[in-house]
Amino acid sequence: MAAWLWLLLYFVYDAAATKMKIVEEPNTFGLNNPFLSQTNKLQPRTDPSPVSGPPHLFRLAGKCFNFVESTYKYEFCPFHNVTQHEQTFRWNAYSGILGIWHEWEIENNTFTGMWMRSGDTCGNKNRQTKVHLVCGRSNKLAAVSEPSTCVYSVTFETPLVCHPHSLLVYPTLREALRRQWDEAEQSLYDELITEQGYKKLLQDMFREAGYLKKSSENGSDVKPNQTRRLESLEECTKAHSELSEEIKRLQGILERHGISYHTNGSSNTELQPAGLGTTTARGEEKYHPRGDVGDRDEH
């Protein structure tokens, strides 16, 4: 009995003399243990933009759709964000935000994609995702890829875009902006503005509608209406020549449409209509239907 007592005392003394590591919380197997909640681990860099675009898509706001490929789980929440969770026990498994709802992509006057920007840091840039909306039988996150480093492509199927006119921009604009669009279309038809000028007017309308973000919000340092600084006489001469050619071009257009002009001795040019060629009897301008300019008449 005494021998057992001495042996027990020996082990107690040896344990007390040895430093023991105390683990205060369980091992999470890196940042992304798939058995732990990921929600509170994601730290967004910014708030999502307001819901915008075709009104029939607004019903998608507040919903989320999952897609699992290999060991990755993706989640797309329209008008909110896109996230990725690596379902492994690696110590450095990634779980984070691939993009936050930012703006629409518009081509040929059609909503062609949703841009999710300002995602998690990726080297010297942030992750971003373009969401392609395609016709499908049900709302489903169908595919995810990474065409270039930290730039992702998501395909979302939905019956809400199956109608051929479901993604047109013009019908979604308020009446004042639609009138501006009609006027810009007519000016392009009359050659009073260039194709480039017409596109710029549309971009301004889309920004005013909230579909596109301003340049500064896209990370650009270029300020609207910023004056270009000419650094040399050669640049100044070239710019003057370009402006002179543009003035001649515009004067030729005015002459073809029966609008006379005269200068008052300064750089300003006053225009005077020569008749009622482009107005109605009530003095209202006549516009061709938007998008159907027909053949151009040369006067």
Side-chain angles (χ1 to χ4, degrees):
M1 184 69 179
W4 279 104
L5 181 60
W6 279 106
L7 184 61
L8 179 60
L9 290 173
Y10 172 79
F11 280 112
V12 169
Y13 174 81
D14 184 65
T18 303
K19 292 183 178 180
M20 300 181 66
K21 181 179 179 181
I22 300 176
V23 179
E24 298 180 349
E25 58 185 20
N27 188 352
T28 62
F29 298 91
L31 298 176
N32 306 286
N33 187 337
F35 297 106
L36 299 178
S37 173
Q38 305 290 340
T39 304
N40 56 7
K41 294 182 180 180
L42 305 182
Q43 300 296 325
R45 303 171 60 89
T46 184
D47 294 329
S49 298
V51 176
S52 66
H56 59 277
L57 297 182
F58 293 0
R59 69 188 69 179
L60 297 175
K63 300 179 181 180
C64 294
F65 306 88
N66 297 323
F67 175 77
V68 177
E69 184 177 43
S70 184
T71 59
Y72 295 96
K73 176 184 176 182
Y74 300 91
E75 188 173 57
F76 168 52
C77 303
F79 303 107
H80 190 64
N81 64 20
V82 176
T83 59
Q84 179 192 58
H85 305 290
E86 187 175 357
Q87 306 294 290
T88 68
F89 289 98
R90 294 192 309 115
W91 70 272
N92 63 342
Y94 175 72
S95 178
I97 300 175
L98 304 185
I100 299 171
W101 164 237
H102 188 74
E103 65 180 349
W104 285 97
E105 178 178 271
I106 298 176
E107 295 180 359
N108 297 324
N109 307 327
T110 302
F111 294 106
T112 57
M114 304 176 71
W115 272 108
M116 307 287 190
R117 305 189 192 273
S118 300
D120 290 347
T121 301
C122 180
N124 59 355
K125 59 183 180 181
N126 298 326
R127 301 175 191 270
Q128 58 180 331
T129 301
K130 179 181 176 181
V131 180
H132 303 266
L133 303 176
V134 300
C135 176
R137 292 177 176 267
S138 62
N139 295 323
K140 182 176 72 172
L141 186 56
V144 179
S145 62
E146 188 176 357
S148 59
T149 305
C150 298
V151 178
Y152 303 84
S153 176
V154 167
T155 299
F156 181 72
E157 296 180 357
T158 174
L160 298 175
V161 301
C162 290
H163 191 279
H165 297 162
S166 60
L167 292 176
L168 291 180
V169 178
Y170 184 85
T172 68
L173 296 173
R174 61 180 183 271
E175 184 178 354
L177 290 178
R178 290 201 299 269
R179 284 200 302 267
Q180 290 183 32
W181 194 333
D182 292 339
E183 293 170 3
E185 192 87 39
Q186 182 65 31
S187 295
L188 178 64
Y189 173 83
D190 291 334
E191 297 182 339
L192 296 176
I193 59 174
T194 63
E195 186 73 28
Q196 182 179 0
Y198 171 72
K199 291 180 179 179
K200 184 180 183 303
L201 288 175
L202 292 186
Q203 293 289 306
D204 291 341
M205 294 176 208
F206 299 157
R207 290 190 182 95
E208 185 174 347
Y211 302 155
L212 303 179
K213 291 298 181 179
K214 297 179 181 179
S215 299
S216 58
E217 296 177 357
N218 279 325
S220 173
D221 295 329
V222 178
K223 298 179 180 180
N225 302 322
Q226 184 176 15
T227 302
R228 186 177 65 162
R229 184 174 180 178
L230 303 176
E231 301 292 344
S232 66
L233 178 60
E234 182 179 357
E235 289 185 5
C236 184
T237 302
K238 181 179 179 182
H240 180 269
S241 177
E242 292 174 350
L243 289 175
S244 297
E245 290 298 320
E246 179 65 9
I247 290 174
K248 291 180 181 178
R249 186 186 73 83
L250 293 175
Q251 288 176 344
I253 293 174
L254 293 175
E255 290 176 350
R256 290 199 301 271
H257 287 272
I259 302 176
S260 63
Y261 63 90
H262 69 274
T263 59
N264 57 9
S266 65
S267 58
N268 297 326
T269 300
E270 298 180 357
L271 305 180
Q272 295 181 343
L276 298 176
T278 58
T279 59
T280 65
R282 294 180 297 172
E284 298 174 335
E285 295 184 41
K286 293 174 61 177
Y287 298 106
H288 295 273
R290 188 196 63 78
D292 181 17
V293 297
D295 299 328
R296 300 182 181 230
D297 297 325
E298 298 294 335
H299 297 289

